[in-house]
Amino acid sequence: MEKLRIIHVDMDAFFAAIEIRDDPSLKGKPIIIGGADPRARGVVSTASYEARKYGVGSAMPLVEAYRRCPEGIFLQGNMGKYEKVSHELMAILGNFTPLVEPISLDEAFLDIKGCEGLFGDAVTMGKKMQKAIKKELGLTASVGIAVNKFLAKIASDLEKPEGLVVVRPGEHEEFLQDMPVEKLWGVGGKTAKILREQGLYTLGQVARMEPSFLEARLGSNGRVLSELARGIDMRAVIPSREIKSIGREQTFPQDIQDRRYMETVMYILAEDVARRLRLKGLKGKVVTVKLRYSDFKTVTRRRTLNTPTNIGKRLFDQGLELLCNIVPEGVSFRLIGLSVSGLQGDEKKQLALFAENEAREEKIATVMDELRNKYGDDIITPARFLELRED
Ligand code: TTP
Ligand code: MG
């Protein structure tokens, strides 16, 4: 029989809990993070459990949250602070096992394989993690423990806040039986509707269906969903990849002085780096520009953005500004480089924090990537790019 060895940790009302920790006068009050002015445009990133009683939740427009909970305390939030706490959280978890896979700022999977001897069994370890998080961060976490990721993730959500739910080997059938189909990984409104049209409302019903029936309606995803509903999930816990930065450099065959040329090169570098970030599902916060003068002296300059990005336009604006600061008029150079570090996973859920504009630009950029992948790089060619090619 499989062993209980996967732990899923998810912080309770993460952003709101941090604000309450840092300002105890907020304790027990309905706190809504997403914007200080609830009449302004914007969405809720999260709400304290007190605010959730009013029906306020993540991704809801602020205006709607205000309508439901006018006495709520609306706060802008501070992404930099939440990221710092997230790093501290992951470091605490890393003390238990090197096999930590961060899923978002407040969530991670752990595989305790090989570490049982040190801290006891999975349940003992889960409790110790909750204790360490509370003691060191002053925050509460919920924990799910099971034989695989899927079951552990569902378990951690069941008794929030400060819950600890164990799905023992062999118990998954009963555990999943009455859960709604939305609990399946990747099942949103559309797939849920297809399942319901087939009379499938619960995971128990999906589990009893022939996998081939689901496959006929949902493609290869149908087979995966069938397995999950039967409590089968073979995905391994993959410790966070250690990509530290993504960048690109351009060396020139001869010395360059022309500012417009420099701008064009920066544009191409920015678009390329942004595209690779998106391809890897990453965003970065620190933009670094490198410049080698014709005498081979090399300088670098960096700047940290307010919010992480994978949009070429933002990298370009920032890169160009840095570049202009280090190239005095009339000086010639041989190499320009642009790189982005301070990388983090591009979690959809963090979207809510970003300006609507960025979300739009991101969509456009993704569509452009798809076109380029399909038809080649030439399909979308900004005017700037054309100029360079003619050179
Ligand atoms: P969640 O873990 O989904 O939510 P939570 O920690 O606030 O509450 P729960 O106790 O139910 O786990 O997300 C973690 C943080 O990510 C959350 O505090 C704020 C941010 N977030 C957004 O910015 N937008 C979103 O739509 C969601 C779902 C989360
Ligand atoms: Mg959470």
Side-chain angles (χ1 to χ4, degrees):
M1 193 168 274
E2 284 178 290
K3 274 180 102 179
L4 265 188
R5 62 174 230 214
I6 307 295
I7 303 183
H8 181 253
V9 177
D10 188 309
M11 302 297 285
D12 302 319
F14 190 49
F15 295 180
I18 294 172
E19 295 305 334
I20 296 165
R21 174 193 76 176
D22 295 347
D23 177 0
S25 76
L26 300 176
K27 208 173 161 138
K29 297 186 179 149
I31 308 300
I32 298 162
I33 312 285
D37 177 4
R39 279 151 300 221
R41 266 159 60 143
V43 289
V44 175
S45 38
T46 195
S48 67
Y49 281 71
E50 287 79 5
R52 292 185 199 190
K53 288 185 199 137
Y54 295 80
V56 176
S58 295
M60 175 180 285
L62 284 176
V63 179
E64 174 64 15
Y66 184 61
R67 199 183 61 72
R68 294 185 185 207
C69 182
E71 58 270 67
I73 298 172
F74 288 78
L75 302 174
Q76 175 67 49
N78 177 345
M79 202 59 192
K81 181 159 80 170
Y82 308 148
E83 274 169 3
K84 189 165 164 278
V85 179
S86 175
H87 277 122
E88 292 163 356
L89 167 68
M90 299 307 165
I92 292 171
L93 298 179
N95 289 335
F96 287 87
T97 162
L99 293 178
V100 180
E101 179 178 342
I103 296 298
S104 69
L105 286 182
D106 85 324
E107 198 186 336
F109 285 109
L110 294 93
D111 187 336
I112 66 158
K113 192 173 83 177
C115 301
E116 299 95 321
L118 288 173
F119 301 101
D121 62 12
V123 179
T124 313
M125 268 175 83
K127 285 182 186 155
K128 284 186 178 163
M129 285 173 198
Q130 283 179 310
K131 248 196 201 143
I133 291 168
K134 197 162 191 176
K135 180 163 170 267
E136 291 176 40
L137 299 181
L139 297 167
T140 63
S142 293
V143 166
I145 302 170
V147 299
N148 62 40
K149 283 179 158 182
F150 175 59
L151 295 167
K153 172 142 169 114
I154 293 187
S156 73
D157 199 41
L158 277 188
E159 288 180 15
K160 272 180 164 291
E162 260 196 301
L164 183 140
V165 174
V166 185
V167 189
R168 298 198 176 273
E171 286 179 358
H172 63 266
E173 204 176 314
E174 198 191 330
F175 177 74
L176 295 177
Q177 180 70 16
D178 298 322
M179 301 249 172
V181 291
E182 279 85 356
K183 289 275 180 188
L184 288 171
W185 229 300
V187 169
K190 221 168 110 193
T191 313
K193 188 162 167 267
I194 297 175
L195 291 169
R196 281 201 207 92
E197 280 165 7
Q198 307 300 323
L200 304 173
Y201 294 85
T202 66
L203 296 194
Q205 290 170 321
V206 176
R208 286 188 291 276
M209 219 61 207
E210 269 300 314
S212 57
F213 175 89
L214 295 165
E215 206 172 347
R217 272 144 197 94
L218 297 163
S220 60
N221 195 29
R223 191 164 285 272
V224 176
L225 297 185
S226 164
E227 285 190 352
L228 292 178
R230 285 177 282 134
I232 302 166
D233 178 11
M234 307 301 278
R235 285 169 305 171
V237 171
I238 301 165
S240 60
R241 288 161 300 161
E242 282 289 308
I243 307 176
K244 293 242 160 60
S245 75
I246 289 188
R248 196 181 146 186
E249 297 180 344
Q250 179 67 54
T251 312
F252 305 101
Q254 69 268 355
D255 296 342
I256 304 291
Q257 249 192 32
D258 181 352
R259 289 230 161 197
R260 267 181 72 69
Y261 188 81
M262 173 177 101
E263 197 176 316
T264 308
V265 171
M266 180 53 74
Y267 181 86
I268 293 167
L269 297 181
E271 283 296 330
D272 183 63
V273 170
R275 189 175 162 200
R276 278 160 54 214
L277 283 168
R278 293 194 294 272
L279 213 59
K280 293 189 190 306
L282 295 169
K283 290 188 175 188
K285 265 189 99 159
V286 183
V287 179
T288 304
V289 158
K290 177 169 160 187
L291 193 83
R292 181 164 300 144
Y293 298 110
S294 42
D295 62 3
F296 284 90
K297 192 176 147 228
T298 308
V299 287
T300 57
R301 289 283 183 282
R302 65 181 52 196
R303 182 165 301 158
T304 302
L305 305 170
N306 291 331
T307 54
T309 189
N310 54 19
I311 301 300
K313 171 85 168 58
R314 279 189 72 194
L315 297 181
F316 171 68
D317 289 344
Q318 200 51 250
L320 194 64
E321 203 184 306
L322 287 169
L323 202 56
C324 289
N325 291 343
I326 45 179
V327 196
E329 197 76 62
V331 168
S332 51
F333 48 90
R334 298 208 67 141
L335 172 149
I336 297 177
L338 176 75
S339 68
V340 176
S341 53
L343 301 177
Q344 61 184 59
D346 173 16
E347 287 294 323
K348 288 246 164 42
K349 54 166 58 173
Q350 285 157 19
L351 257 186
L353 271 188
F354 299 150
E356 254 179 30
N357 250 351
E358 170 123 11
R360 230 192 87 243
E361 278 184 41
E362 193 169 330
K363 265 192 207 136
I364 295 171
T366 309
V367 170
M368 287 179 42
D369 286 350
E370 277 166 13
L371 286 172
R372 286 199 188 104
N373 290 339
K374 214 164 159 186
Y375 300 108
D377 277 335
D378 286 339
I379 185 77
I380 299 160
T381 312
R384 247 181 238 292
F385 211 166
L386 281 177
E387 273 173 32
L388 181 76
R389 291 204 169 171
E390 281 160 14
D391 282 342

